[in-house]
Amino acid sequence: MSEASPPAAIVGAEGLTKRFGPLLAVDRVDLEVHEGESVALFGPNGAGKTTLIRILCMSLRPTSGRVLIAGLDPRKDDLEIRRRIGLISHQSYLYDDLTARQNLEFFSRLHGVPDPAARAEELLEQFELANRADDAVGTFSRGMQQRVSLARSLVHDPPLVFLDEPFTGLDPYAAEMLRRTLEVLRDQRRTLVLVTHDLRQGLELSDRWLLLSRGRIVHKGVSKETDADSFDAASFRRLAQDARRARPA
């Protein structure tokens, strides 16, 4: 009896590089993420995590290298790829002068959702925002804005979701709601790529992890086989070794 085929790669990068003048932010990264997989990206500030995410979700062009999303080339299939991805960030990407309902209806139309009003209402209920649905999001707390932003990222029901430090600045209630939502997405076998500084949280929410330093992937592992406390010490040793190798003789 033949073995089952591995899940298809929904994210692929080959030799991905990004320069900002003399700064090499992403350095020849090769990456593959399969359908239904959850991957955490760890690393210190300046490691290139956010730059890598921005390239993968097409908000930033690479200097060189190749990216494929679900087998599609961003240079040719921009609109089709955008239908398949969502982005949750510490930035809300909302319009402060619009209400929560208006924001969700706007982004639903933008993504071609058949009934924007019904989808907005569904998400307002799901994220417990119905009682503030018609208030401008500029009047919301950070936690409530992030709940609207989370709903915004899911209006078109994307199979692939990128998360760039989504827990930053959240109150405990909003953080717990976000965590529950991510667990539901994982149960639904959505593909998640999560950037976080919180090792323990990242390990709990992922299947495997990658450690970035100076724009490169320097270490990787399986989340359920990794102890957060020992990994914390090991990761800093790895970063120190990487820095020493990069230091000119």
Side-chain angles (χ1 to χ4, degrees):
M1 191 167 72
S2 61
E3 294 183 1
S5 301
I10 194 169
V11 178
E14 296 178 0
L16 204 60
T17 299
K18 180 62 182 179
R19 288 185 177 273
F20 296 98
L23 174 64
L24 183 59
V26 175
D27 185 6
R28 294 164 295 175
V29 166
D30 295 330
L31 173 67
E32 194 170 88
V33 181
H34 295 97
E35 287 186 28
E37 187 177 30
S38 179
V39 177
L41 302 180
F42 299 125
N45 289 334
K49 305 183 301 296
T50 292
T51 300
L52 178 58
I53 286 287
R54 289 180 63 197
I55 294 171
L56 295 177
C57 67
M58 302 193 312
S59 65
L60 188 65
R61 289 181 180 272
T63 302
S64 61
R66 186 184 186 207
V67 178
L68 293 177
I69 302 295
L72 302 173
D73 188 334
R75 296 169 297 183
K76 303 174 184 177
D77 304 297
D78 178 278
L79 292 178
E80 184 58 35
I81 291 174
R82 292 185 188 280
R83 294 189 182 100
R84 299 169 186 245
I85 64 176
L87 172 64
I88 303 170
S89 173
H90 53 277
Q91 299 180 13
S92 72
Y93 298 108
L94 300 170
Y95 292 97
D96 286 351
D97 55 340
L98 297 183
T99 67
R101 186 189 309 279
Q102 288 169 336
N103 266 283
L104 295 181
E105 289 184 1
F106 170 78
F107 285 103
S108 293
R109 292 189 186 95
L110 192 66
H111 285 289
V113 175
D115 190 341
R119 181 57 173 158
E121 190 65 33
E122 177 185 3
L123 290 167
L124 289 166
E125 291 291 339
Q126 179 180 342
F127 292 101
E128 301 177 18
L129 292 161
N131 64 331
R132 297 289 303 276
D134 298 308
D135 293 342
V137 299
T139 67
F140 288 5
S141 67
R142 159 70 182 151
M144 289 194 67
Q145 285 187 353
Q146 188 69 331
R147 282 153 60 186
V148 182
S149 180
L150 179 57
R152 169 201 56 76
S153 70
L154 300 176
V155 291
H156 54 306
D157 202 25
L160 171 61
V161 181
F162 295 101
L163 304 104
D164 185 14
E165 295 288 357
F167 290 93
T168 300
L170 294 187
D171 59 62
Y173 180 78
E176 180 57 29
M177 177 171 285
L178 175 56
R179 177 185 289 277
R180 291 200 309 265
T181 300
L182 296 183
E183 289 173 349
V184 169
L185 293 177
R186 291 187 70 196
D187 290 343
Q188 295 172 346
R189 302 303 297 165
R190 307 295 179 97
T191 306
L192 306 179
V193 180
L194 168 67
V195 168
T196 180
H197 285 291
D198 190 324
L199 295 173
R200 192 174 303 277
Q201 191 173 72
L203 292 173
E204 290 175 355
L205 292 170
S206 64
D207 300 310
R208 62 185 177 96
W209 53 267
L210 306 172
L211 179 64
L212 274 71
S213 176
R214 302 171 68 92
R216 293 176 290 169
I217 297 174
V218 297
H219 203 29
K220 60 184 69 176
V222 177
S223 299
K224 66 181 180 181
E225 298 174 358
T226 305
D227 175 72
D229 296 326
S230 59
F231 174 54
D232 184 59
S235 66
F236 282 107
R237 286 197 299 272
R238 175 71 65 167
L239 291 173
Q241 292 167 1
D242 183 60
R244 284 195 295 271
R245 287 195 298 268
R247 200 174 292 139

